[in-house]
Amino acid sequence: MNALGLSMIVKMGCICARESIDINGIKYIVKERLGEGGFSTVDLIEHKGTKRKFALKRILCHSVEDQKVAMDEISYYKKLKHPNIIELVDSTFKGSADIVVNATSEAYLVLPYYRRGTLHDYLTLRSFNRNYLDVKEIIRLFMEICQAVKYLHDFTPEAIAHRDLKVGNVCLTEDMTPVLMDMGSCATAKVQVCGAQDAQKLQDLAAERCSMTYRAPELFHVESYCVIDQRTDIWSLGCVLFALCYFKSPYDFVYERGDSVNLAVISGTITFPEDTPFNEDVHDLILFMLKVNPSERPYVDSVIEKTRQLKNKIEPVV
């Protein structure tokens, strides 16, 4: 599976008539469909000359607003440069550049192809035999993911929130380096909500772009007058660390039981397995991030410091 599922239904299969596409003068052959969603698809493509493989994300735009959303995603890819954040190889639009209402265009994003797939894929495979990761490896992976988040939160002139951090949005390189992807959910971190209309708009956007089992409580029920900031990502990081330990977000387990994720998140209910191989220090780090009240939630620097302390406790500095 390709690492760019982006909350899509994975749908493997060959494309019988091999499509050839030209992106800014470079020719690629479409090898197979990797995933598809409501308005976008991801294909495995191969450079016609070098045979190097890439992932092609196609975003279908039906309106000016759709095109603006696609252009914003491309803009984030272009300005974010970090070893733990996916790079944009190339991009273009197919169709009208001056799109009008009811016209259709398509954004093409050429991205790296990660043969190992996503952290979600990796954890799913390990979950079949309850093959828990070693705590040192968990800390290494989590610390690198935190570094990517810190880069976003420290970005100038304005801090950026990812808004859809989850194990399905973390690719793995050949040497098991985590790489954060899906910049389509990114937004200015600090949002001032002024009134019920603003609140409903943000809540609807969160429902569309932020995966439910990793979504922060304040995005389930946005208050009419409040400030939403980058600490939505800290809640998601807590869910990611839980998944590194137990293969899934704590709220994936709630969803699978058929219980209300909304109610479980709002109440801050966290249940750790009884037969856990991890000690209280690991659980404390998870709970440190999963504070229902965002004002009680730490910023990423505090998360990194607490993770470093745990690392030093497990591997004392000589």
Side-chain angles (χ1 to χ4, degrees):
M1 184 190 301
N2 178 261
L4 298 164
L6 309 178
S7 306
M8 298 174 180
I9 301 168
V10 175
K11 185 177 178 182
M12 302 299 290
C14 294
I15 296 173
C16 297
R18 292 293 168 84
E19 181 187 359
S20 177
I21 57 173
D22 185 302
I23 299 175
N24 296 325
I26 299 174
K27 289 184 170 52
Y28 300 91
I29 300 296
V30 180
K31 304 294 286 185
E32 63 182 45
R33 174 61 43 85
L34 296 169
E36 59 185 73
F39 301 100
S40 60
T41 59
V42 177
D43 292 331
L44 174 64
I45 60 173
E46 185 180 85
H47 188 285
K48 215 166 185 179
T50 65
K51 305 299 182 186
R52 185 180 170 191
K53 290 179 171 58
F54 298 91
L56 174 68
K57 181 179 181 182
R58 311 189 206 206
I59 306 170
L60 195 60
C61 305
H62 293 288
S63 66
V64 176
E65 182 58 32
D66 286 350
Q67 191 176 49
K68 182 182 180 300
V69 169
M71 290 177 75
D72 285 347
E73 180 171 351
I74 290 168
S75 176
Y76 276 117
Y77 275 116
K78 285 182 175 179
K79 66 185 178 184
L80 300 175
K81 305 293 180 186
H82 189 275
N84 296 109
I85 294 179
I86 197 168
E87 63 175 323
L88 179 69
V89 178
D90 203 354
S91 65
T92 191
F93 273 88
K94 178 183 177 184
S96 173
D98 300 312
I99 190 169
V100 294
V101 177
N102 297 325
T104 301
S105 69
E106 210 170 16
Y108 282 8
L109 283 68
V110 181
L111 299 156
Y113 172 71
Y114 294 96
R115 189 179 60 83
R116 277 189 177 274
T118 65
L119 184 54
H120 172 268
D121 302 330
Y122 179 68
L123 293 172
T124 298
L125 286 173
R126 296 186 71 104
S127 72
F128 294 140
N129 298 316
R130 292 170 63 85
N131 184 14
Y132 295 107
L133 280 167
D134 180 79
V135 68
K136 293 178 184 177
E137 179 67 356
I138 288 172
I139 290 172
R140 181 191 71 80
L141 288 164
F142 183 68
M143 187 69 93
E144 290 195 49
I145 294 167
C146 283
Q147 291 300 332
V149 174
K150 175 176 168 58
Y151 174 80
L152 294 176
H153 291 188
D154 289 349
F155 200 81
T156 55
E158 286 187 301
I160 296 168
H162 186 278
R163 293 276 198 266
D164 197 22
L165 292 172
K166 58 181 181 178
V167 292
N169 276 340
V170 177
C171 310
L172 291 173
T173 67
E174 288 299 311
D175 65 355
M176 292 294 291
T177 297
V179 178
L180 185 60
M181 67 170 181
D182 193 359
M183 299 301 112
S185 59
C186 284
T188 301
K190 195 170 184 178
V191 180
Q192 184 83 45
V193 179
C194 300
Q197 191 173 351
D198 278 0
Q200 190 60 53
K201 185 177 178 181
L202 181 56
Q203 190 170 305
D204 291 345
L205 188 64
E208 179 186 329
R209 296 190 183 181
C210 311
S211 300
M212 181 169 60
T213 57
Y214 287 80
R215 192 187 312 159
E218 61 271 26
L219 294 177
F220 275 94
H221 296 289
V222 180
E223 295 180 8
S224 295
Y225 293 92
C226 67
V227 176
I228 302 292
D229 65 21
Q230 57 266 50
R231 284 174 289 183
T232 55
D233 285 348
I234 303 302
W235 176 277
S236 302
L237 277 176
C239 294
V240 167
L241 181 55
F242 188 103
L244 281 166
C245 295
Y246 301 113
F247 314 114
K248 297 175 182 178
S249 160
Y251 301 104
D252 282 323
F253 291 102
V254 172
Y255 178 80
E256 288 166 5
R257 289 198 304 268
D259 295 337
S260 169
V261 172
N262 188 331
L263 290 176
V265 169
I266 297 299
S267 67
T269 303
I270 303 291
T271 304
F272 295 105
E274 290 183 7
D275 57 343
T276 175
F278 305 107
N279 63 27
E280 282 187 14
D281 291 331
V282 176
H283 290 174
D284 286 346
L285 178 55
I286 293 169
L287 294 174
F288 180 60
M289 292 174 274
L290 296 180
K291 303 288 187 186
V292 173
N293 186 341
S295 66
E296 296 175 3
R297 217 174 291 150
Y299 289 93
V300 70
D301 285 336
S302 297
V303 173
I304 290 171
E305 179 55 33
K306 196 169 178 70
T307 306
R308 189 174 287 118
Q309 290 171 6
L310 178 58
K311 180 179 185 291
N312 291 339
K313 198 170 182 179
I314 295 166
E315 304 175 64
V317 178
V318 179

